[in-house]
Amino acid sequence: MKQLRIRTLAGLLVVAAVLSWAGARLWDAFGTLPAVPLFAPIVLAAIAAVLLATALAFRSRLRAQRERRPEAKGVDPLVAARALVFGQASALVAALVAGMYGGVSVFLLGYLEVPARADQALYAGASLVAGACVIAAGLYLERVCKLPEDGDDNTPGAAPTV
């Protein structure tokens, strides 16, 4: 698998933000803009927490395995591959979702004098921040699951890590 590039994720986020901002302007011109769900930042934060917990668990297990501790539990390669795919997919989707909520929040910043719109701007901004946390946690999980390069481990007979 190829490693995700921050440039790609940032590009997705910016394109989604611009399209979302334009869509919000158009939608508001022809009707009422749909509300930003209160649970959007909560769900994104929960996904970020799961990704971070998985990355920390894998990191400690892989470190114990590399140090050849007797109580070390290895990481099943298939489980690590699934976690890696989950982290990459979460980061890609979070870039789109964070861009969408970022564009909506920028649009709603012009209407902060309306209390309902101010609340929606707060929810959209919190969703943008939580989406950025998902991206960061997904990239960290990807970094933890990265296989060492051929020349990285000079120890003969060392156990391969995920």
Side-chain angles (χ1 to χ4, degrees), residues 90-104:
S90 296
L92 287 168
V93 171
L96 292 172
V97 170
M100 182 189 74
Y101 284 124
V104 170

Side-chain angles (χ1 to χ4, degrees), residues 97-110:
V97 170
M100 182 189 74
Y101 284 124
V104 170
S105 67
V106 168
F107 171 75
L108 290 173
L109 286 177

Side-chain angles (χ1 to χ4, degrees), residues 13-77:
L13 192 139
V14 169
V15 167
V18 169
L19 290 175
S20 177
W21 173 79
R25 284 191 60 182
L26 184 64
W27 197 319
D28 194 55
F30 290 110
T32 304
L33 188 66
V36 176
L38 172 63
F39 288 107
I42 296 169
V43 170
L44 288 169
I47 293 170
V50 168
L51 286 170
L52 184 62
T54 303
L56 293 175
F58 278 9
R59 189 184 86 180
S60 66
R61 288 173 70 180
L62 290 171
R63 179 179 291 151
Q65 186 179 3
R66 275 192 300 268
E67 294 173 356
R68 297 185 180 263
R69 293 182 194 158
E71 77 280 354
K73 290 195 290 186
V75 176
D76 182 28

Side-chain angles (χ1 to χ4, degrees), residues 1 28-29 32 49 56 73-75 84 91 100 102 115 117 120 125 129 138 140 142 155 159:
M1 290 185 77
D28 194 55
T32 304
L56 293 175
K73 290 195 290 186
V75 176
L84 175 66
M100 182 189 74
R117 293 268 173 124
Q120 295 301 307
V129 171
Y140 182 62
E142 180 183 49
T155 310

Side-chain angles (χ1 to χ4, degrees), residues 77-147:
L78 188 57
V79 172
R82 287 178 180 163
L84 175 66
V85 169
F86 175 58
Q88 286 186 342
S90 296
L92 287 168
V93 171
L96 292 172
V97 170
M100 182 189 74
Y101 284 124
V104 170
S105 67
V106 168
F107 171 75
L108 290 173
L109 286 177
Y111 299 97
L112 290 179
E113 65 275 356
V114 179
R117 293 268 173 124
D119 289 343
Q120 295 301 307
L122 178 67
Y123 299 155
S127 297
L128 171 65
V129 171
C133 290
V134 171
I135 293 169
L139 289 174
Y140 182 62
L141 178 60
E142 180 183 49
R143 182 173 174 252
V144 166
C145 291
K146 185 178 182 216
L147 289 171

